């Protein structure tokens, strides 16, 4: 799995979940533009955070925001907080349980509530998710130019 593959997995989830109306995977600095370009909520915004390169595993970290709009009197606050929390649970379960994905979440995700996030009357949750992916770790997997002399001779 590469970064691109994981982005596609998040987008697939967002495109197919009945609650999510829009989704994007990009840098945090772009979230304001995304949230205001169309007034369509609830939305899922995924921010890549880091990649930790271990011996045979890459550990990709993402921050996932699930947000929705409050009514002016905030009468739907409890409903939105519940619904956006359930979407986060759905995402975590899907990544963990879908046999075709074959991915492992290596941390214990902790959802943090957000209030008046991005624009006034936007609330929901964010969660940090670390996803382990296996990787090929040898000289033969590096795309060297023909004729480059490197230590691994058995490719």
């Amino acid at each position: 799995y590469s970064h691109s593959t994981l982005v596609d997995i998040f987008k697939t989830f967002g495109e197919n979940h009945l609650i999510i109306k829009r989704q994007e995977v990009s840098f945090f600095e772009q979230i304001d533009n995304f949230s205001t370009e169309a007034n369509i909520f609830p939305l899922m915004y995924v921010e890549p955070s880091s990649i930790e390169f271990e011996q045979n595993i890459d550990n990709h970290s993402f921050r996932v925001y699930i947000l929705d709009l409050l009514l002016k009197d905030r009468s739907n606050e409890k409903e939105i907080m519940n619904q956006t929390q359930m979407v986060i649970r759905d995402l975590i379960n899907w990544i963990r349980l879908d046999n075709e994905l074959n991915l492992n979440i290596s941390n214990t995700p902790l959802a943090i509530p957000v209030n008046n996030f991005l624009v006034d009357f936007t609330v929901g949750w964010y969660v940090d998710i670390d996803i382990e992916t296996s990787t090929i770790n040898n000289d033969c997997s590096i795309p060297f130019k023909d004729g480059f002399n490197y230590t691994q001779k058995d490719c």
Side-chain angles (χ1 to χ4, degrees):
Y1 284 94
S2 66
H3 172 78
S4 180
T5 305
L6 293 174
V7 166
D8 290 344
I9 287 170
F10 282 113
K11 287 190 173 194
T12 297
F13 176 85
E15 290 167 355
N16 290 285
H17 197 280
L18 291 175
I19 302 299
I20 301 299
K21 303 298 182 215
R22 290 189 315 137
Q23 71 285 323
E24 183 61 82
V25 180
S26 189
F27 294 102
F28 182 76
E29 293 79 13
Q30 301 304 312
I31 195 169
D32 284 335
N33 295 337
F34 176 73
S35 66
T36 57
E37 71 186 13
N39 196 24
I40 302 170
F41 287 85
L43 63 82
M44 179 177 81
Y45 194 88
V46 181
E47 169 195 3
S49 301
S50 65
I51 302 174
E52 183 179 24
F53 299 103
E54 297 181 23
Q55 184 65 28
N56 294 312
I57 293 172
D58 291 346
N59 203 5
H60 299 254
S61 295
F62 295 90
R63 179 162 285 177
V64 179
Y65 297 87
I66 309 293
L67 305 168
D68 203 351
L69 287 176
L70 284 168
L71 297 173
K72 295 288 184 191
D73 66 358
R74 299 183 73 96
S75 62
N76 63 340
E77 179 180 314
K78 184 171 97 176
E79 177 186 334
I80 289 174
M81 295 304 289
N82 185 64
Q83 184 178 58
T84 54
Q85 178 248 316
M86 295 307 295
V87 172
I88 287 175
R89 169 49 77 191
D90 293 342
L91 174 63
I92 292 167
N93 284 344
W94 183 60
I95 291 171
R96 282 183 175 153
L97 302 174
D98 190 303
N99 291 331
E100 287 186 28
L101 293 180
N102 196 26
L103 293 173
N104 182 43
I105 295 178
S106 60
N107 66 328
T108 301
L110 174 67
I112 308 293
V114 291
N115 181 34
N116 289 328
F117 190 74
L118 307 173
V119 295
D120 286 343
F121 297 103
T122 305
V123 299
W125 300 87
Y126 75 83
V127 64
D128 293 324
I129 300 174
D130 298 339
I131 301 173
E132 287 182 346
T133 61
S134 60
T135 184
I136 299 170
N137 190 19
N138 62 46
D139 287 347
C140 297
S141 65
I142 302 171
F144 287 127
K145 292 181 180 179
D146 287 340
F148 178 74
N149 189 12
Y150 55 96
T151 58
Q152 183 85 12
K153 303 287 186 189
D154 299 332
C155 296

